[in-house]
Every structure is written in structure tokens, then in C-alpha cells.
Amino acid sequence: MDFEQVLKEVVWRLVTEGRISYRRIKLSFALDDDGLEELRSELIGIKRVAADVDGEVLVWAPEGRVARPEPAALLQPLPALRHRPLLDPPPPAGEGRVGADAERRQLTVMFCDLVGSTGLSTGMDPEDLRDVIASYQSRCSAAIRHYDGFVAKYMGDGILVYFGYPRAP
């Protein structure tokens, strides 16, 4: 596989997966350190479609935007959603409550993605595909905000959305 093919394949993986480790790139494409450095330089400095995270991971960052770490609050399960064995009886009324003003609230989680993006990618230039996905994400996020949703994460051509977060109506 020549360098151009490796470049296109890595861009596609970044678009669809959002991130890829340098180790995986080296193993998948049998790249040496010089080849990996040239790939990094091309994607980060020249094409400006990726960013480096801690020298270990390459992340999709179209238009050179800096990758944001995931908020720590989103990585932890919500207390009400933590696993409790099915055989455990519920706590007696009034016991185990956080406070008298505690209440149960609904959270809706939605994942949406661009249908047919795999087929679309095979017939498009990576830069054009990036523009299509950026436009899709922009329009989706505008609609999501309109309905008081919260975009938790962009994952390639997918979007993870919470409704009722951080405050439920």
C-alpha cells in the first residue's frame, strides 16, 4: 500500500471512529517511525484535519479545531443508573434518600448517524466528505439545541445526544 492509500485509509478511520492510536496505525499499515511522522505532519500540519492527544492518539479535528477532552462528569454513570442486582429489594421508603427534595428525572439518550456514509465515502474526496459531515453535524446540532438537547459527543459521522441533561424539565 502506498503512502496516499495509507493517508486516505487513516482519514477514513478518523472520520468514522473519531480517533486512532499511533500504535494501531503503525501495526495496521506497517509504518516505521519516519512514515508515521510524515503521516502526522500531513494530517495535523498540512491538511489540518487531525490533532494529537498526548503523543499517543490522533483525533479527528476538521478545520484544525483543537480536540476537547471528554468532561469527567460524562464518563461516570449517573447515581440512579448504577447497577443494582435484580434480587436486591428496593430500600424502604425514606431510607437511602439523598434529601427530602430529591426526585427522579427522565433522561433521554439518542444516537444518530449519517445513513449511507460508508458508500458515500468511497466515491468522494476526503476533503469533500469532511465538508458533508461538518454540514450534517452543524444542522443536527442546531436542531438538537432548538429542542434543548445536549451534544455529548461527536463520533465520526455519529452524534450522541442527551435530552434532559444537565437539568430535566
Side-chain angles (χ1 to χ4, degrees), residues 6 15 44 52-54 62-63 66-67 73 86 95 99 111 113 137 152 155:
V6 170
V15 167
I44 295 171
D52 178 88
V53 176
D54 301 327
E63 300 162 11
V66 177
L86 293 175
E95 188 179 309
F111 180 81
D113 70 342
Q137 289 175 337
M155 296 178 278

Side-chain angles (χ1 to χ4, degrees), residues 8 22 24 26 39 51 55 59 66 70 96 122 137 140 144 148 151 160-161 167:
K8 286 179 183 180
Y22 292 124
R24 182 173 163 208
K26 285 178 78 171
L39 183 73
V59 296
V66 177
E70 295 300 321
T122 60
Q137 289 175 337
C140 284
I144 290 162
D148 298 322
V151 175
L160 180 64
V161 181
R167 290 184 210 95

Side-chain angles (χ1 to χ4, degrees), residues 1 15 27 49 53 64 106 112 118 151 153:
M1 186 179 284
V15 167
L27 293 173
V49 296
V53 176
Q106 296 294 317
C112 60
T118 303
V151 175
K153 186 175 187 180

Side-chain angles (χ1 to χ4, degrees), residues 74 107-110 144 148-152 160-166:
L74 295 180
L107 174 72
T108 302
V109 179
M110 177 180 82
I144 290 162
D148 298 322
F150 174 80
V151 175
L160 180 64
V161 181
Y162 300 152
F163 291 95
Y165 176 87

Side-chain angles (χ1 to χ4, degrees), residues 59-82:
V59 296
W60 178 244
E63 300 162 11
R65 74 171 186 241
V66 177
R68 296 179 303 160
E70 295 300 321
L74 295 180
L75 299 176
Q76 300 299 318
L78 298 173
L81 301 178
R82 287 200 175 104

Side-chain angles (χ1 to χ4, degrees), residues 76-132:
Q76 300 299 318
L78 298 173
L81 301 178
R82 287 200 175 104
H83 176 71
R84 196 171 82 204
L86 293 175
L87 299 177
D88 280 357
E95 188 179 309
R97 297 188 95 203
V98 175
D101 60 341
E103 62 185 89
R104 182 177 294 230
R105 296 186 178 196
Q106 296 294 317
L107 174 72
T108 302
V109 179
M110 177 180 82
F111 180 81
C112 60
D113 70 342
L114 185 60
V115 174
S117 63
T118 303
L120 187 66
S121 70
T122 60
M124 291 185 77
D125 185 63
E127 287 83 11
D128 294 336
L129 180 62
R130 178 193 67 205
D131 293 342
V132 168

